[in-house]
Amino acid sequence: MNFRMRRRALRTGTAVGLSTLLALTATACGDDGSGTGGDKGDEGSGKGTITFWDNNTAVRRDVWMEIIRDFEKKNPDIKVKYVGIPAENVQSKYDTAIQGGGLPDVGGVGTAMLATLTAQNALEPVADRLATSSLNDKLNAKFVDSVKAAGGSSELYTIPTSANNGVLYYRTDLFDKAGLDAPTTWSKFFDAAGKLTDSGKNRFGYTIRGGEGSIAQALDVMYGQSGITSFWDGDNEKTTVNDPKNVAALEKYAALYKKATPSADVNNDFTKMVSQWDSGTIGMLNHNLGSYAGHVKALGADTFKGLPNPTGDDGTRVQVSNPVDGLGLFKASKNKTAAWKFIEFAASHSENSKWNESAGQIPANTDAAKDAWVQKAEPTRLAAEALESGSTKIVQLPYYLPDWNTISKADNEANFQKVLLGKQSAKDFLDTMADQLNKAQDDWKQQAN
């Protein structure tokens, strides 16, 4: 679906969407809820009740409730109404509320969904508020740049709170037993994947993500190997995703399937992949910082480590941009003054540190990133150092494209499974994706003009 078609679809809506909206408005926001996308809202009194939507309630509810208690203690004239939404449902909840009313005052907004919300005029630009805030110059500049890029303009539409960097987890006990070096380079990674595999004993060097969420991981491994540092060509018109170097990289990655991975991996989503690695018979896993605590619980902290993406043999590290999470101020809010106070508080040193320690992610607040827990959580520390060192090259994924989520998920996950199964070539798979991306980029440029 291109940009214009999506806008028409969002304007039109459906009866089902409306009924969902009415239920959501009645139960979640009540009289304190905001209006529709495009509603200008109001600064309000700075007192009263505001509504906050958590965009990943399944795993972060407890820490948010603690932050809300801290905020209400410091601001007794403001009450925060917490609404938890599972991550897989949050985009549809926002879209429904934008069309019919019931938007929150503040909501969790990651860069992967930012373009859709800004295209519908739902978010308030916050750069001017930030400039006069205690947060000014206290936010990671790369995170801020990623948020601006994801919004498709120079405007800042959310306050970044964290980044969930990609990690290569590896079993130090299995590596030591096999006499293998840590997989710090791609050459060492592929060598270890083969040498740690003994399929007869149900032992494998790697577990690959073949099901839901597979495309982002495949892109990370592709660009990491190829060393290509831009998602678009010099004219910003054609994607590099099907560059011959990326095709060769995907071929090598996909060839691990069933040779150095379990055959069940073709259907692996996040949960299955992590569970399989935590069983203790697999050498390596690509995931992100969010699963670190679970690995410690399952395996013990002394049996594994987590590294940033491997480097090329020349020492260059390339990785695709990971979504930056943040807090958005919704334009329709009738109490923006109070809502902004909550955003400032949640992104402050102590509260941002508290949230990220719970999540195991990289704090956006630069003071929080220096806290002791970051130094003790090795994968988080190494990821933060890699991002700050200047030696890591980031390939910015086009989150600003309204069709990005569809192209990188629904349109191509089944095709990637065909690549793993040998039913489609890596070149045909990437050529198809490139055609979709180039069309989406052209549509976006035309709309922008």
Side-chain angles (χ1 to χ4, degrees):
M1 182 185 292
N2 67 28
F3 183 88
R4 299 181 191 84
M5 292 170 66
R6 181 174 180 83
R7 289 295 294 271
R8 286 199 297 271
L10 288 168
R11 284 196 299 267
T12 302
T14 65
V16 174
L18 182 57
S19 64
T20 302
L21 161 70
L22 293 174
L24 178 66
T25 304
T27 60
C29 298
D31 293 338
D32 297 313
S34 303
T36 60
D39 185 338
K40 293 182 179 180
D42 194 85
E43 288 298 314
S45 65
K47 301 178 181 181
T49 300
I50 59 172
T51 301
F52 164 60
W53 283 10
D54 175 10
N55 59 335
N56 195 4
T57 187
V59 292
R60 304 293 173 234
R61 182 184 187 280
D62 290 346
V63 69
W64 271 121
M65 297 305 293
E66 187 175 343
I67 291 171
I68 289 169
R69 286 194 294 270
D70 291 346
F71 175 76
E72 290 179 344
K73 184 176 180 179
K74 187 173 181 179
N75 298 272
D77 293 331
I78 304 174
K79 299 299 178 185
V80 180
K81 192 171 189 177
Y82 173 92
V83 179
I85 302 172
E88 61 270 21
N89 298 334
V90 70
Q91 180 70 70
S92 63
K93 294 292 188 184
Y94 279 136
D95 286 345
T96 302
I98 286 169
Q99 296 311 301
L103 282 167
D105 299 279
V106 179
V109 179
T111 47
M113 72 174 71
L114 187 58
T116 300
L117 298 184
T118 57
Q120 297 175 84
N121 201 28
L123 291 169
E124 179 92 354
V126 291
D128 288 346
R129 295 176 193 266
L130 177 62
T132 58
S133 165
S134 59
L135 293 175
N136 193 35
D137 296 327
K138 293 294 183 180
L139 298 177
N140 185 301
K142 290 185 178 179
F143 294 5
V144 172
D145 289 343
S146 290
V147 170
K148 289 180 178 179
S153 72
S154 59
E155 289 283 4
L156 183 67
Y157 283 104
T158 67
I159 294 299
T161 54
S162 69
N164 197 3
N165 207 56
V167 178
L168 176 62
Y169 293 104
Y170 71 102
R171 290 285 303 273
T172 51
D173 54 345
L174 299 181
F175 271 71
D176 289 344
K177 185 177 180 179
L180 294 170
D181 293 336
T184 53
T185 68
W186 287 109
S187 295
K188 291 178 180 179
F189 164 81
F190 282 103
D191 181 58
K195 289 181 178 178
L196 290 173
T197 297
D198 186 344
S199 56
K201 296 182 179 179
N202 199 36
R203 296 175 182 171
F204 299 92
Y206 184 61
T207 176
I208 200 168
R209 190 166 185 168
E212 183 181 351
S214 61
I215 305 301
Q217 180 172 300
L219 291 173
D220 209 14
V221 176
M222 280 165 44
Y223 280 93
Q225 290 180 75
S226 71
I228 296 170
T229 58
S230 175
F231 197 79
W232 301 103
D233 64 12
D235 295 325
N236 213 31
E237 293 179 353
K238 303 295 182 183
T239 181
T240 59
V241 76
N242 60 337
D243 183 281
K245 291 181 180 179
N246 276 334
V247 173
L250 183 61
E251 289 172 343
K252 190 170 184 179
Y253 175 63
L256 292 173
Y257 174 65
K258 289 182 72 173
K259 293 181 181 178
T261 80
S263 59
D265 281 8
V266 70
N267 294 313
N268 268 357
D269 58 10
F270 148 68
T271 305
K272 293 174 184 175
M273 181 180 66
V274 169
S275 176
Q276 193 161 252
W277 194 69
D278 286 348
S279 70
T281 61
I282 297 174
M284 294 179 290
L285 161 77
N286 276 110
H287 191 236
N288 58 47
L289 293 167
S291 59
Y292 175 70
H295 301 323
V296 172
K297 184 177 180 180
L299 300 170
D302 297 330
T303 63
F304 77 95
K305 287 188 176 182
L307 299 170
N309 267 8
T311 68
D313 290 338
D314 64 355
T316 301
R317 177 179 286 111
V318 177
Q319 65 182 58
V320 300
S321 55
N322 281 270
V324 173
D325 210 5
L327 295 172
L329 174 62
F330 280 83
K331 187 172 288 188
S333 171
K334 300 299 191 291
N335 199 347
K336 293 177 186 174
T337 300
W340 175 251
K341 284 183 181 179
F342 178 66
I343 291 174
E344 275 188 307
F345 184 82
S348 67
H349 177 178
S350 62
E351 305 305 311
N352 189 239
S353 184
K354 181 182 299 180
W355 191 96
N356 280 282
E357 183 175 12
S358 172
Q361 297 178 191
I362 305 172
N365 187 296
T366 53
D367 290 334
K370 299 172 185 175
D371 284 351
W373 72 264
V374 178
Q375 307 308 310
K376 293 178 182 178
E378 185 179 47
T380 305
R381 175 178 59 80
L382 292 175
E385 288 174 356
L387 290 176
E388 288 299 319
S389 68
S391 62
T392 298
K393 308 298 182 184
I394 304 296
V395 179
Q396 291 291 344
L397 296 180
Y399 299 123
Y400 59 86
L401 293 178
D403 287 343
W404 169 247
N405 281 340
T406 302
I407 293 170
S408 64
K409 294 179 182 178
D411 281 358
N412 287 293
E413 286 178 346
N415 289 335
F416 180 67
Q417 290 178 317
K418 292 179 182 178
V419 174
L420 295 180
L421 294 169
K423 297 180 179 179
Q424 186 175 22
S425 71
K427 184 178 186 304
D428 287 346
F429 168 74
L430 292 177
D431 283 345
T432 298
M433 185 183 291
D435 288 342
Q436 295 167 341
L437 288 163
N438 294 338
K439 179 63 165 59
Q441 177 80 337
D442 183 60
D443 286 342
W444 179 79
K445 282 188 169 184
Q446 289 187 42
Q447 182 67 29
N449 293 331

